[in-house]
Amino acid sequence: MLARRRSLKLNGVEVERTPLLVPSFSSKGFPDVRKIIESCSELIEGVTLVSAYDLHYEKVHPPFDFPSLIFLDSGGYEASKDAELSDLGDRDHHPKDWTQEMHENILAKWQPSVPSVLISYDHPKARVGFAEQIERARAMAPERTGFLRELLLKPETESQTLLHVDNLLQYVHWFADFDIIGVTEKEIGNSLVERMKNIAKLRRALTAVGIDIPIHVFGSLDTISTPMYFLAGADIFDGLTWLRFAFHEGLTIYKHNFGALELGVATKAHMVDARCWHQNYYYMNELQLEMRRFLASKDFSSFKYHGDMFKTALQSALEALGDQ
């Protein structure tokens, strides 16, 4: 089975086990991100993600002492005009300068009070080949110890919109130098089945060379696609969907629709936002438990919603890989 529980260890001590659904924070689309983090700090007890870009531009401020584990993202999302699949595109974003030196300066000053993951540098205008991406990530924060390290894999040229997975797999032996391998949902394929197939292909390649580390899918945190990628062999999922939408009875819906259904049509927007964030966080926790129950039972009815669809999607992805 492609999906399984995997351990994240720091200095030989387990700090988390997958699957992990990671609520993320970003200034991109959320100019009040600092206030949002303050609002959610009493809510979040598990993992979370913030951006090195936002730290550099003081959009957010440490200490982040509320999560159990914190991902320090590469900054590439904020440094670009590109959108996640869930992005509504309703706010203009004007990226500022973001260089590898800036990223390294943030890493050099990073003093978290909880275990953390350093994610390799990314910028949409600084595309390089896979070998150079790996070497750049190996050299990240050379003087710093006591962190988990993640290699974020990106297309090799600015003109490419997707990862060339077959080319990537030539370097799979090199992934043993990292604790986590990351890809973005947008760049791992053009459809749900293609993304599942490519995740499964990457997982099988890792297994074939004896590397059992988590795969992190950036930009995927919703009620339907996230479990599908999990079944295909991915382990860690983050995104901003939980801030943009509402998770409700197996669906990801507009927040104002959730407000009408659950709170009444006269409820103020800021109250709907706050209720959605709380509801979504607890929904993610329950979905994470469903994923873990599936690992124990191998029964698709472990998922409260869409179990049969998840089973069919996995079968379709495996068929696309040539499995009988």
Side-chain angles (χ1 to χ4, degrees):
M1 187 172 69
L2 296 164
R4 56 169 291 183
R5 297 200 72 172
R6 295 181 172 90
S7 180
L8 284 174
K9 292 184 178 180
L10 182 58
N11 299 325
V13 178
E14 183 175 270
V15 293
E16 279 291 352
R17 297 186 75 190
T18 67
L20 292 173
L21 304 187
V22 184
S24 303
F25 298 96
S26 173
S27 63
K28 186 172 178 178
F30 299 93
D32 296 328
V33 62
R34 189 186 311 175
K35 292 181 180 179
I36 296 173
I37 291 177
E38 289 174 0
S39 175
C40 295
S41 62
E42 295 183 5
L43 175 69
I44 296 174
E45 298 177 341
V47 294
T48 195
L49 178 147
V50 297
S51 171
Y53 176 104
D54 285 342
L55 279 171
H56 174 79
Y57 285 105
E58 299 185 342
K59 303 290 186 180
V60 298
H61 288 277
F64 304 105
D65 54 5
F66 57 92
S68 61
L69 174 71
I70 188 163
F71 287 77
L72 185 60
D73 198 10
S74 64
Y77 176 67
E78 290 78 15
S80 76
K81 284 187 168 291
D82 291 343
E84 292 182 339
L85 293 180
S86 69
D87 198 333
L88 293 169
D90 56 348
R91 297 192 181 190
D92 287 339
H93 177 67
H94 303 285
K96 298 180 180 180
D97 289 342
W98 181 239
T99 65
Q100 189 173 353
E101 182 180 3
M102 291 174 177
H103 182 244
E104 287 292 333
N105 286 339
I106 290 297
L107 300 188
K109 296 184 291 186
W110 181 237
Q111 298 288 346
S113 58
V114 298
S116 66
V117 179
L118 306 183
I119 299 170
S120 59
Y121 173 75
D122 173 41
H123 193 289
K125 301 297 184 182
R127 293 285 181 250
V128 295
F130 291 133
E132 190 171 343
Q133 290 181 44
I134 294 165
E135 288 301 327
R136 187 169 64 187
R138 281 174 172 166
M140 174 177 61
E143 305 300 322
R144 305 304 308 276
T145 59
F147 300 105
L148 295 158
R149 291 171 179 264
E150 177 168 350
L151 168 64
L152 172 58
L153 294 159
K154 303 292 290 184
E156 297 180 277
T157 68
E158 288 185 42
S159 62
Q160 292 176 1
T161 59
L162 297 175
L163 284 172
H164 290 180
V165 176
D166 289 337
N167 293 343
L168 172 64
L169 298 185
Q170 301 175 46
Y171 301 93
V172 69
H173 290 87
W174 297 12
F175 299 167
D177 293 336
F178 303 96
D179 300 291
I180 306 167
I181 299 299
V183 297
T184 71
E185 182 182 21
K186 280 183 66 174
E187 294 165 347
I188 198 64
N190 268 329
S191 68
L192 275 168
V193 166
E194 185 180 359
R195 293 178 199 121
M196 292 177 73
K197 180 190 76 173
N198 285 332
I199 289 167
K201 189 181 291 187
L202 176 57
R203 170 56 63 203
R204 287 182 169 180
L206 288 166
T207 301
V209 296
I211 301 174
D212 191 34
I213 58 176
I215 296 172
H216 180 171
V217 183
F218 288 81
S220 172
L221 192 65
D222 67 73
T223 56
I224 293 177
S225 62
T226 296
M228 291 184 180
Y229 304 147
F230 159 72
L231 293 168
D235 309 271
I236 302 170
F237 311 89
D238 88 272
L240 298 166
T241 315
W242 79 289
L243 295 177
R244 294 189 179 112
F245 296 95
F247 301 154
H248 182 67
E249 295 183 357
L251 300 175
T252 303
I253 66 174
Y254 290 123
K255 286 188 288 187
H256 61 265
N257 287 350
F258 173 84
L261 289 168
E262 296 294 322
L263 306 176
V265 295
T267 307
K268 301 294 185 184
H270 72 280
M271 295 295 294
V272 174
D273 283 346
R275 177 66 180 274
C276 282
W277 298 338
H278 281 69
Q279 158 80 8
N280 289 350
Y281 182 71
Y282 290 117
Y283 192 108
M284 284 188 289
N285 284 345
E286 182 56 36
L287 180 56
Q288 186 171 274
L289 287 173
E290 290 175 10
M291 294 158 82
R292 294 179 177 184
R293 286 195 288 267
F294 171 81
L295 291 177
S297 68
K298 313 297 188 293
D299 186 348
F300 284 85
S301 68
S302 301
F303 296 100
K304 184 176 181 180
Y305 302 102
H306 314 307
D308 288 341
M309 180 177 65
F310 295 157
K311 182 178 181 180
T312 300
L314 179 59
Q315 291 169 342
S316 296
L318 294 177
E319 288 170 2
L321 274 174
D323 288 15
Q324 300 300 317

